[in-house]
Amino acid sequence: MAAALASRCCGRPPLAPNGRGRRSVVRRALSGEKGNSFSWKECAISIALSVGLITGPPTFGWSAHASALEPVIPDISVLISGPPIKDPGALLRYALPIDNKAIREVQKPLEDITDSLKVAGVRALDSVERNVRQASRALSNGRSLILTGLAESKRENGEEILDKLALGLEELQRIVEDRNRKAVAPKQKELLNYVGTIEEDMVDGFPYEVPEEYNNMPLLKGRATVDMKVKIKDNPNVEDCVFRIVLDGYNAPVTSGNFLDLVERKFYDGMEVQRADGFVVQTGDPEGPAEGFIDPSTGKSRTIPLEIMVDGDKAPIYGETLEELGLYKAQTKLPFNAFGTMAMAREVSLTWALQF
């Protein structure tokens, strides 16, 4: 999910390797609500979409990186700043619609362990130890505020995860004291998964109203996990591969809902990649004269609005680019300088739709 969503996407999520997708099966949706005319099954989705430029663990460790096909923003615009974001898990945690300072104070030093480990040798452990102590102190001091921030229906689960987080911090402290550098990153990932679960348990319902004009479109009001099964052609060393995608309907409900609806309709099943040039890998154009998905209820190509969630805003911007609004330095919740970004094509360029 990234900065600007497709204004006329024609159902083309791009990122795909040179391969053919396999049959898709809906499995589980997370924290989702029904949008109009969208039938949900509580499951993740195995989609027949080919994906490329991806390495790393299947859950949050994607390293795909795609870019715009052509630069369409003037040089004076500064819509991307800083180095590429290499941890989509952190991006997703920070993109949740919550406002609980106490849990964020636990999260930040745990996220910072990644930078601490960039120091060579065991010297990194001194910095990691400071991170762990800071996170432990924040959890101890802020536990009551964290519990207060949990949705009432999720409080019991949140308390259980908080206990696991506290125990895990003690274990990480012992790992550091034993100077076991190799064990730090796996434990950090485990603890951040606990933090992410707690933060998800703080979300109670959908945080804003989608404009009425889009209510007839399939909407994702929450997040969904998607398992992507791909087959690489002409490569005897690689059989079926499965990649995991997180669709963020909190920040892109129309675009995410559209994508899931197309998956449910098996739009991508068996579809081959149309472009793979080392710069971007793109699929989504069906065989025949049609461009994109033809909605059987209208007989016309389905198009969706440009949908951009700016950091600090309560709801997405629709129908206008940040440049058109003069927001050249605005930061988006789903930036397209992030590794593991999935996108949808607009008529004039490739912009960003979904983060996985």
Side-chain angles (χ1 to χ4, degrees):
M1 331 163 215
L5 306 188
S7 61
R8 292 180 62 81
C9 73
C10 300
R12 296 189 185 187
L15 305 185
N18 294 330
R20 177 181 291 274
R22 299 292 298 276
R23 186 172 183 273
S24 60
V25 181
V26 178
R27 293 172 50 205
R28 181 171 57 92
L30 300 179
S31 304
E33 298 179 7
K34 284 188 178 181
N36 286 359
S37 70
F38 189 57
S39 174
W40 275 110
K41 303 171 184 177
E42 293 186 352
C43 49
I45 306 169
S46 224
I47 63 179
L49 183 67
S50 306
V51 172
L53 306 180
I54 301 179
T55 60
T59 303
F60 285 114
W62 311 278
S63 59
H65 189 193
S67 306
L69 298 177
E70 298 177 358
V72 295
I73 299 175
D75 291 340
I76 60 171
S77 302
V78 185
L79 297 183
I80 310 176
S81 62
I85 299 168
K86 297 183 179 181
D87 186 353
L91 185 68
L92 288 166
R93 286 186 286 272
Y94 281 121
L96 283 166
I98 65 171
D99 184 19
N100 188 286
K101 184 178 179 181
I103 190 62
R104 294 300 194 195
E105 288 180 347
V106 177
Q107 177 184 350
K108 186 179 185 306
L110 288 175
E111 303 280 8
D112 289 345
I113 288 175
T114 301
D115 289 331
S116 297
L117 289 175
K118 293 177 182 178
V119 177
V122 295
R123 291 183 302 165
L125 296 177
D126 294 334
S127 182
V128 172
E129 186 170 16
R130 289 192 292 271
N131 296 141
V132 176
R133 288 177 177 174
Q134 183 180 349
S136 297
R137 185 166 56 250
L139 179 59
S140 178
N141 295 338
R143 184 183 176 94
S144 61
L145 292 176
I146 294 172
L147 288 172
T148 301
L150 293 168
E152 189 61 37
S153 61
K154 304 173 184 178
R155 181 177 295 274
E156 184 176 349
N157 181 65
E159 289 180 348
E160 180 181 344
I161 300 300
L162 272 176
D163 290 338
K164 291 182 179 180
L165 178 58
L167 180 61
L169 283 167
E170 294 176 3
E171 293 170 350
L172 182 53
Q173 179 64 38
R174 288 194 292 270
I175 288 171
V176 174
E177 291 171 353
D178 292 340
R179 314 307 280 176
N180 186 358
R181 179 185 171 121
K182 290 184 178 180
V184 171
K187 179 58 69 172
Q188 176 207 22
K189 180 179 178 180
E190 176 188 322
L191 298 183
L192 283 172
N193 284 339
Y194 290 151
V195 169
T197 300
I198 292 166
E199 291 173 343
E200 289 175 357
D201 286 348
M202 291 179 171
V203 181
D204 190 10
F206 195 67
Y208 55 87
E209 292 293 329
V210 176
E212 186 176 353
E213 61 192 292
Y214 308 128
N215 281 340
N216 64 333
M217 296 182 176
L219 305 175
L220 172 60
K221 294 186 175 180
R223 284 181 173 172
T225 299
V226 175
D227 284 340
M228 179 179 293
K229 183 181 291 186
V230 301
K231 185 175 180 64
I232 312 298
K233 291 197 305 184
D234 304 322
N235 189 336
N237 298 318
V238 180
E239 296 184 359
D240 291 348
C241 300
V242 178
F243 303 101
R244 182 151 291 175
I245 305 169
V246 176
L247 306 178
D248 191 345
Y250 290 125
N251 294 293
V254 178
T255 309
S256 299
N258 170 73
F259 179 80
L260 284 174
D261 181 56
L262 295 183
V263 169
E264 277 202 326
R265 292 173 183 268
K266 307 185 186 302
F267 176 74
Y268 301 106
D269 284 16
M271 188 176 290
E272 291 191 357
V273 168
Q274 286 90 41
R275 176 185 177 185
D277 56 10
F279 180 61
V280 67
V281 183
Q282 186 169 356
T283 188
D285 187 13
E287 294 182 1
E291 292 188 1
F293 171 67
I294 304 299
D295 192 329
S297 65
T298 64
K300 299 179 180 179
S301 295
R302 178 193 289 170
T303 60
I304 61 175
L306 183 68
E307 186 176 41
I308 309 171
M309 178 67 88
V310 174
D311 196 14
D313 286 358
K314 300 296 185 182
I317 295 168
Y318 289 91
E320 294 183 279
T321 66
L322 298 183
E323 183 197 14
E324 290 169 343
L325 296 171
L327 302 175
Y328 300 118
K329 295 186 179 181
Q331 300 295 313
T332 58
K333 283 289 187 71
L334 307 175
F336 64 74
N337 64 327
F339 283 21
T341 299
M342 188 172 181
M344 303 189 81
R346 298 180 64 190
E347 286 187 330
V348 295
S349 69
L350 183 67
T351 59
W352 305 108
L354 307 166
Q355 171 73 42
F356 71 93

